[in-house]
Amino acid sequence: MDSKNIQKNAMQKSAEFTFTPPPEAPVFEPTLEDFADPLGYIAKIRPVAEITGICKIKPPARWQPPFSLDVDKLKFVPRIQKVNELEAITRLKLLFLEKILKFWELQGSPLKIPMIENKTLDLYCLKFWVDEEGGFENCNTPKKWRKIANSMGYSQNANTMNFLKINYEKILLPYDIFEKSKADILKTVKKTETKSEIKDDGDASNHSFKEISIQNITGYKGDCKNMIPHTSIKKTKTGSDIKTEVDSKSILETEEAKCNRELRRLACYGPGPKMPGLNDEEFDITKSRKRPRYDLDPLAIYVCAICQKDHTDNLLLICNGCSDTYHTFCLKPPLNTVPDGDWRCPCCIAEEVHKPAEAFGFAQAEREYTLQQFGEMADKFKSDYFGMSGHLVPTSVAEKEFWRIISSVEEDVTVEYGADLHSMDHGSGFPTKSSLNLYPGDQEYVDSGWNLNNLPVLEGSVLRFINADISGMTVPWMYVGMCFSAFCWHNEDHWSYSINYLHWGEAKTWYGVPGSGAELLETAMKAAAPELFKSQPDLLHQLVTIMNPNILMAAGVPIYRTDQQAGEFVVTFPRAYHAGFNQGYNFAEAVNFAPPDWLKIGRECIIHYKNLKRFCVFSHDELICKMALEGDRLDLETALETQKELVRATEEEGRLRAKIASKGLKSVRRTAFELLGDDERLCEICKTTCFLSSVLCTDCKHMACLQHATDACQCPLNKKTLNYRYDMDELHIMLQTLDFRVNSFDKWMSETKKMLLPTAPDIGRVQKLKVLLDEADELKIPKCTLLTQLKNEYTAATENVEPIIIELDDD
């Protein structure tokens, strides 16, 4: 589906709310034996679960870890979420409505949104569908208005069609005309002001003021007797008509000066003393385009900024913002009457209406909660909202209601969410070695691989090679939810795996998109709400935007759902987008992890981040090199994946270094990048974290990765230095070490397969099987079919040998 059709479909679905739950994600129930190896089990279910992006794992019934936090001592300040502002299209509608309301309010005509079919008129959708029909001037037949009414989900009778047409003409058409003519008006105003302010009676090239004494100004005898003085000027300012009273004596003293524009200028700006109340800086035309304040300047003439004429004073409006004056009939669109309230000119309206919207985010609540206080508030909210005890509300009912209020401009439901609570600050919900008051049975859960404090650093997880504790990634975060509190569409940093455990409370509803559908989701969201992504291209990385799964599914995005109950895990796979909401008061904990199969997609993520100029959480190359240097700690699968990554990194590094050397860069220096802070080793262009090398300019101090070595600054290459962590020989030695380890694995596998053949010789067989088992231990061969067969064969062989030994002893 192309972008335009995705947007049309999104508009239609937002007009007529419906919600069809996506298909269910797979649910896995491991046996006690499977559950003993977390990473092994996740690798086992990966072929099925990766297709849906998310899955649910139900632990064996006996696995019930205690909740280790003190509910009275844990205190936190939650985030505030206005639920309907989370949805992309609803947020667009609210932003548009704000512009329209501001547009009319600034013109002194506050707008009241009309009602249709017991709900407020959707002005955003009305404008969208009229634009789709070619604009208001082309919507000149009942057939087109019937089509618009149908697209908006309204009935198609004559009254409804007439209502839409009248309100478009009354509310939106003036805004359309203003938008289309805004540039011309601003250009006209600017041009005429420049001309009028710099005009000179003599030489056009000489813009300096003539020196004329104050006596000459006040005693001027020009031909002004035919002028009719203005004794009253009507203008609209701050909601009232202000009249300037000028007595006959004042008129006689000032009209002579009004006849000559240059004399008027000199009275305000020229050398010598100024009239009382005037301020040089305020009225310096070289500093401001604003006109003098007319109530302080009796010499000023009220001139329309567009036509530059001062006639028809009763239809001259003074802007409440900049004090410029405009005829009502010179404006586009023209005003039929003088507004009753405050009025702003086109320049000020354009400035206000088109102010860039602030980046959307969540505010912090004003109060701090304990878990018990938050629970009391959350339970009361849900029972009041549904009119029944919260735990009696079916998950399907709460789910449909969530998506209904998400899509409604009128609904104003505000909730709070205790999100991203650092376990380093508050402690973990799982028991740990530092937990107080541990019971004897708790030690099982302290050591369990499914304890989220242990999972990221298990044998076989590559994140254990990252020395730093990365909060939320290698160290768990905790989440305290209430009904309708939500987490928006996102995928994990570096496209890693994530795992979430719901300690207790009501369910958490999840929606997931597999990694293979990630780009489809990004395209669909950008197509459905283009204005949002135009102003904030990295919106999906901010975790503040959600969209109805049905809109995305209609655009071809594969989406799956699941309800996570207390005591269950939800796992998300690499690059899988996920979102969801809480059914009620609950407590969850989550962390990231990365088995060896992640390494390849982790590199692809870094390339993606470089294109987006997005910061990395850690250096992928640094991780690979650290693993290669500690090759004896790697199991077979990790060693194989690390070898592939290091080959790629070494080849690319060699190519880029040769390329920049061929351009003439000669200065090189070894640098320990790992000792630098991340902000000290960022590429100036793509924001990636440098490790293997970078180029630093000694003049402007700009640093860049080798791909952008010549783009960061225009300084000559002799001012730049190549910083490197390892020379190419060292990288090749690291590769050889990994190759040796991988070859050792290959050799072990080959010999093991030979020994397990029926044709293998019996002589010395037991001893050879024992040697292979010892090698498997040394090489850290992971649990696999071949290793199981070897163990079984050795056990059977030793059982057969034992009776023979006993018989020999008896003889």
Side-chain angles (χ1 to χ4, degrees), residues 372-386:
Q372 183 177 345
Q373 290 168 340
F374 189 86
E376 289 169 356
M377 178 276 295
D379 288 341
K380 184 177 185 305
F381 169 85
K382 186 173 182 181
S383 60
D384 288 350
Y385 190 93
F386 288 101

Side-chain angles (χ1 to χ4, degrees), residues 705-776:
C705 65
L706 293 195
Q707 285 179 319
H708 301 111
T710 56
D711 301 331
C713 66
Q714 300 303 314
C715 302
L717 279 177
N718 59 12
K719 298 288 184 182
K720 298 181 180 182
T721 300
L722 171 68
N723 296 310
Y724 67 93
R725 180 62 186 89
Y726 303 107
D727 61 33
M728 294 308 298
D729 286 342
E730 289 167 332
L731 287 174
H732 283 112
I733 289 170
M734 287 162 63
L735 258 180
Q736 287 171 9
T737 305
L738 271 179
D739 288 344
F740 176 77
R741 188 156 182 79
V742 170
N743 290 336
S744 298
F745 283 126
D746 287 341
K747 183 181 176 185
W748 177 88
M749 290 174 69
S750 176
E751 290 182 358
T752 301
K753 286 176 181 178
K754 284 180 182 177
M755 285 304 300
L756 294 177
L757 289 173
T759 55
D762 291 334
I763 300 172
R765 191 164 184 270
V766 175
Q767 287 79 0
K768 287 181 181 178
L769 290 173
K770 181 69 168 68
V771 169
L772 288 172
L773 278 174
D774 291 342
E775 284 183 8

Side-chain angles (χ1 to χ4, degrees), residues 470-481:
I470 305 172
S471 185
M473 192 160 190
T474 60
V475 178
W477 274 354
M478 298 174 295
Y479 301 84
V480 188

Side-chain angles (χ1 to χ4, degrees), residues 353-578:
V353 171
H354 293 285
K355 272 183 180 175
E358 292 183 11
F360 180 77
F362 302 129
Q364 293 292 105
E366 293 183 0
R367 68 166 292 189
E368 184 179 59
Y369 290 90
T370 63
L371 273 177
Q372 183 177 345
Q373 290 168 340
F374 189 86
E376 289 169 356
M377 178 276 295
D379 288 341
K380 184 177 185 305
F381 169 85
K382 186 173 182 181
S383 60
D384 288 350
Y385 190 93
F386 288 101
M388 66 176 77
S389 180
H391 69 277
L392 296 177
V393 181
T395 55
S396 58
V397 171
E399 179 178 35
K400 190 167 185 178
E401 182 62 10
F402 173 76
W403 291 110
R404 188 191 69 79
I405 59 177
I406 272 279
S407 64
S408 171
V409 173
E410 300 168 27
E411 298 283 348
D412 188 16
V413 177
T414 301
V415 297
E416 299 180 6
Y417 193 15
D420 300 344
L421 305 180
H422 298 201
S423 61
M424 287 190 291
D425 299 333
H426 300 282
S428 170
F430 287 98
T432 63
K433 293 175 183 176
S434 59
S435 296
L436 301 175
N437 305 318
L438 285 175
Y439 291 98
D442 293 348
Q443 192 60 43
E444 173 193 351
Y445 301 104
V446 171
D447 301 330
S448 172
W450 292 93
N451 182 324
L452 299 195
N453 297 280
N454 302 330
L455 188 62
V457 292
L458 287 179
E459 192 85 18
S461 171
V462 303
L463 295 186
R464 68 195 173 107
F465 292 94
I466 297 177
N467 291 331
D469 289 334
I470 305 172
S471 185
M473 192 160 190
T474 60
V475 178
W477 274 354
M478 298 174 295
Y479 301 84
V480 188
M482 66 177 287
C483 185
F484 300 147
S485 59
F487 51 104
C488 300
W489 286 113
H490 70 287
N491 50 26
E492 299 300 316
D493 288 331
H494 290 248
W495 297 348
S496 59
Y497 288 73
S498 79
I499 185 166
N500 182 294
Y501 181 73
L502 191 60
H503 284 279
W504 47 258
E506 297 193 58
K508 189 186 288 281
T509 299
W510 291 74
Y511 305 94
V513 174
S516 58
E519 290 183 9
L520 277 173
L521 178 136
E522 292 166 1
T523 302
M525 286 191 72
K526 289 173 184 176
E531 297 98 320
L532 281 186
F533 287 89
K534 185 177 180 182
S535 61
Q536 204 174 347
D538 64 342
L539 187 60
L540 278 173
H541 298 142
Q542 307 306 315
L543 282 74
V544 293
T545 306
I546 207 164
M547 187 172 282
N548 190 320
N550 291 169
I551 293 174
L552 298 171
M553 290 161 71
V557 181
I559 297 184
Y560 301 85
R561 72 172 301 286
T562 194
D563 288 319
Q564 179 190 18
Q565 304 293 342
E568 296 177 343
F569 290 96
V570 165
V571 175
T572 72
F573 286 76
R575 207 184 179 181
Y577 271 98
H578 46 284

Side-chain angles (χ1 to χ4, degrees), residues 695-704 709 712-716 719-721 723:
V695 170
L696 179 66
C697 178
T698 53
D699 271 10
C700 62
K701 307 301 180 186
H702 283 172
M703 180 180 282
C713 66
Q714 300 303 314
C715 302
K719 298 288 184 182
K720 298 181 180 182
T721 300
N723 296 310

